[in-house]
Amino acid sequence: MSAPGQKDVLHRYLRQGREVVRWKLDGLGEYDVRRPMTPTGTNLLGLVKHLAIIESDYFGEVFGRPFAEMAGWFEAHPEPDADMWATAEESRADILDLATRAAEHSDATIDELDLDSPGRVPHWPDERADVTLGQILVHVATETHRHAGHADICRELADGAVGLRPDNPNMGGNEAARLLGHRARLEREARRAAGAT
């Protein structure tokens, strides 16, 4: 695959991951997009906020193209994991708008630079800090899809919605299997394997 073709593929995967994470908020109320769905506090709106902030850093500062809106964000918000949740004062619309602007800034960096364009990640260990756009595209697309998986679980726990998009549940025959007691069967098998009855 040629370098331009490779960049297009990587960029497409990044865009798909963004879309998946964003649609997971569709149709949910304020409580459900903000509430912690796991013991560590993972929540849907926080995932969107986190991804916007990391994109703005990796495709901004790392390549000498700072996203002015986010300059000094972590210094101004030193609380651990402040990028992973939204305060009551931060509206869903504001966070989604931030994500859109951060994505546009990232897309411009990706469009304007070659895959081998150099950058530096100041918070990575010195021996790995020098990077290329190609490395960062893989890193951010992978992280985006990792968090899309988190969003999948959060959304399913919130209201049962699953899949890649509203029109693509991407669950094969699982819906029919669920109707036939698939989850109960898995529970029985897990208990059997563990020696329980």
Side-chain angles (χ1 to χ4, degrees), residues 151-166:
D152 286 340
I153 293 167
C154 289
R155 181 62 189 253
E156 186 173 1
L157 290 170
D159 72 351
V162 295
L164 281 174
R165 295 179 306 275

Side-chain angles (χ1 to χ4, degrees), residues 3 31 49 59 61 63 74 94 105 119 131 148 167 184:
Y31 175 71
K49 180 180 176 183
F59 293 111
E61 290 292 328
F63 294 98
F74 283 102
D94 287 345
H105 184 267
V131 296
D167 64 333

Side-chain angles (χ1 to χ4, degrees), residues 64-124:
R65 300 167 57 89
F67 183 54
E69 263 181 83
M70 300 309 297
W73 192 92
F74 283 102
E75 293 77 12
H77 301 85
E79 182 179 344
D81 296 326
D83 61 319
M84 296 291 292
W85 58 281
T87 66
E89 294 75 31
E90 292 177 292
S91 76
R92 176 194 320 216
D94 287 345
I95 290 174
L96 288 171
D97 288 347
L98 171 65
T100 297
R101 292 188 306 276
E104 289 168 352
H105 184 267
S106 298
D107 290 345
T109 296
I110 295 164
D111 289 343
E112 292 173 25
L113 300 180
D114 294 326
L115 283 178
D116 60 356
S117 294
R120 183 164 180 79
V121 183
H123 59 274
W124 285 7

Side-chain angles (χ1 to χ4, degrees), residues 19-38 41-48 92 96 146-169 171 178:
E19 290 171 15
V20 169
V21 173
R22 287 181 72 115
W23 95 258
K24 295 295 180 177
L25 279 67
D26 288 356
L28 292 178
E30 286 303 312
Y31 175 71
D32 283 332
V33 299
R34 296 166 183 270
R35 70 179 167 128
M37 300 302 287
T38 68
T42 303
N43 63 90
L44 290 164
L45 193 57
L47 290 171
V48 173
R92 176 194 320 216
L96 288 171
R146 175 176 176 253
H147 289 310
H150 297 148
D152 286 340
I153 293 167
C154 289
R155 181 62 189 253
E156 186 173 1
L157 290 170
D159 72 351
V162 295
L164 281 174
R165 295 179 306 275
D167 64 333
N168 181 1
M171 296 297 286
R178 184 164 41 143

Side-chain angles (χ1 to χ4, degrees), residues 14 17-18 21 51 55 139-149:
L14 173 59
R18 288 176 189 152
V21 173
L51 288 170
E55 265 205 52
H139 178 79
V140 176
T142 301
E143 180 155 349
T144 300
H145 281 274
R146 175 176 176 253
H147 289 310

